Amino acid sequence: MWKFDVLVFCSLLCYAAAPPPSETHHYRTDYEYNRRTNAFYKLHIDAMRYGRSGDVCRVEGAQLMVPSTDEDIVQLHGMFKNYPDLGEYAWVGNDGQDHESAEASPIIDWSMMDSSDMLQTTGCDVVTRKGEVETMPCYQRLPFICKVDAKDAPYDRHCDVYGKDYRYYQSVGSCYAIPKIPYSWPEAYAECAAQGAHLVVLNSQTEHVAIYNLTNTEPAVPGARAFYFFFAGYRAEVPVGNATVVFKTIFNQTLDEAGYNGWSENEPNNAQGREYCGSIFKNDGKLNDLECAHEFGFICEKEVH
Ligand SMILES: *[C@@H]1O[C@H](CO)[C@@H](O)[C@H](O)[C@H]1NC(C)=O
Ligand SMILES: *[C@@H]1O[C@H](CO)[C@@H](O)[C@H](O)[C@H]1NC(C)=O
Ligand SMILES: *[C@@H]1O[C@H](CO)[C@@H](O)[C@H](O)[C@H]1NC(C)=O
Ligand SMILES: [Ca+2]
Ligand SMILES: [Ca+2]
């Protein structure tokens, strides 16, 4: 009887956070579970070049789907069906086999290519709506499908996030991660949320010091517009007329209310009148405004209770 009580006690308190996706069959809300393959899937309708689509899947804890079973194809049909306007093709992971070319090669627009795409001379794998695998030039922009087996879906029990690169700072009581991809502010906001976290909000001098440490100990994010800025969870509305610009956190607090308002020198400068999204400057750990549509590294935060 006593043993049983300990078990119940422990299941409530020792593991306050949820069990892993392999047990719950629950992953990020933007992924759907397939019982037959015991895997999670996401169809990205935002068209991208092949190289970046793989990076996006990896940041989400997944891989470009390599269609290996009929069940994968059934899953694909189901997801594609919701988007009749999406076109015929989506990127999938390379299965190492030769496939027919999907189309006659178009005239190459070299300005649209980056170096990683140019290295891919043989073409990259696409799947058609019918489920056939063909190849296409890697610099095309296409939708794509990410997949992760339930046993591989990352979940950090201590931080209670669907990610594996979070670091806990005991001084603050929060976990932080810098995903290895540059995103616009809205994309960064959505990615942190999908991981079960939020874009970082500085609430104290202590947290400012922790983030200064984090940004100076993590490797640079490849492809970021500038490696020394990281999007954070505050921004301002574009003012109407001569109204003053007020920066607020994603929790609707002013910076003063949130607990940290240390701007970097000469910031916010609203460069070219287009900087309404918040960031943290690696050199001093302080605040700077940036253009929301530009792609920078970003920091996700999850409080540990
Ligand atoms: C970050 O914190 C770690 C652990 O306390 C420390 O060893 C390291 O020197 C710090 N680095 C910076 C750049 O603050
Ligand atoms: C801002 O504009 C309003 C009307 O548009 C005007 O009444 C007010 O004086 C202006 N304030 C400043 C500080 O220019
Ligand atoms: C956000 O804050 C403003 C000003 O304090 C307040 O008027 C508004 O109702 C708040 N919005 C929400 C959704 O709480
Ligand atoms: Ca915080
Ligand atoms: Ca600025």
Side-chain angles (χ1 to χ4, degrees):
M1 195 61 203
W2 184 81
K3 214 170 169 183
F4 176 77
D5 281 344
V6 169
L7 271 177
V8 171
F9 179 80
C10 233
S11 67
L12 292 175
L13 287 177
C14 300
Y15 301 105
S22 55
E23 289 170 36
T24 58
H25 301 159
H26 180 79
Y27 189 42
R28 307 158 45 115
T29 50
D30 52 344
Y31 273 67
E32 61 181 77
Y33 180 66
N34 182 316
R35 196 167 40 82
R36 290 167 191 246
T37 57
N38 196 23
F40 300 95
Y41 298 80
K42 178 177 179 179
L43 171 63
H44 280 264
I45 61 170
D46 204 10
M48 290 177 201
R49 290 175 287 101
Y50 185 84
R52 180 148 169 105
S53 68
D55 291 345
V56 168
C57 290
R58 277 186 287 281
V59 157
E60 295 175 354
Q63 301 281 339
L64 271 177
M65 175 176 99
V66 177
S68 54
T69 65
D70 289 348
E71 300 298 346
D72 281 334
I73 303 300
V74 172
Q75 172 70 32
L76 167 107
H77 283 309
M79 293 190 299
F80 247 118
K81 215 166 58 187
N82 299 327
Y83 301 97
D85 64 324
L86 204 54
E88 287 301 310
Y89 303 102
W91 292 128
V92 288
N94 207 312
D95 61 4
Q97 294 170 26
D98 288 336
H99 299 285
E100 277 186 41
S101 180
E103 297 177 332
S105 284
I107 294 163
I108 296 173
D109 178 356
W110 294 97
S111 67
M112 296 282 284
M113 298 173 67
D114 72 18
S115 51
S116 63
D117 292 325
M118 278 192 245
L119 292 173
Q120 279 281 3
T121 50
T122 53
C124 290
D125 285 5
V126 291
V127 68
T128 66
R129 278 181 182 265
K130 287 188 199 135
E132 284 151 2
V133 178
E134 300 176 356
T135 70
M136 232 187 235
C138 306
Y139 54 79
Q140 295 272 19
R141 286 168 197 267
L142 293 178
F144 56 100
I145 299 155
C146 305
K147 174 187 176 183
V148 60
D149 290 334
K151 66 173 171 33
D152 300 326
Y155 176 68
D156 181 320
R157 181 167 261 173
H158 179 243
C159 302
D160 187 24
V161 286
Y162 296 111
K164 60 179 179 322
D165 299 323
Y166 279 78
R167 277 167 61 184
Y168 179 63
Y169 277 77
Q170 198 170 10
S171 58
V172 185
S174 278
C175 297
Y176 304 96
I178 300 180
K180 293 174 180 56
I181 197 166
Y183 274 160
S184 69
W185 194 94
E187 287 170 332
Y189 178 97
E191 178 56 27
C192 290
Q195 294 188 12
H198 60 79
L199 268 177
V200 64
V201 173
L202 296 185
N203 301 105
S204 63
Q205 189 69 23
T206 306
E207 190 165 19
H208 147 74
V209 170
I211 292 302
Y212 177 77
N213 182 288
L214 178 81
T215 53
N216 283 282
T217 50
E218 290 284 308
V221 175
R225 192 177 177 92
F227 70 90
Y228 39 81
F229 291 131
F230 298 88
F231 275 132
Y234 67 98
R235 59 174 169 170
E237 280 179 37
V238 179
V240 177
N242 61 6
T244 42
V245 174
V246 180
F247 282 91
K248 283 187 150 193
T249 74
I250 52 176
F251 303 117
N252 196 34
Q253 291 182 308
T254 62
L255 299 178
D256 284 327
E257 287 164 352
Y260 184 82
N261 67 358
W263 289 99
S264 200
E265 206 175 325
N266 301 322
E267 303 291 348
N269 65 346
N270 193 11
Q272 300 178 344
R274 288 206 295 253
E275 297 193 329
Y276 296 104
C277 280
S279 76
I280 290 165
F281 183 34
K282 170 187 155 103
N283 289 16
D284 56 11
K286 295 183 169 184
L287 310 179
N288 168 44
D289 53 350
L290 291 176
E291 196 166 330
C292 303
H294 287 168
E295 290 176 349
F296 290 98
F298 58 100
I299 304 166
C300 301
E301 175 185 5
K302 181 65 180 279
E303 292 79 4
V304 174
H305 298 294

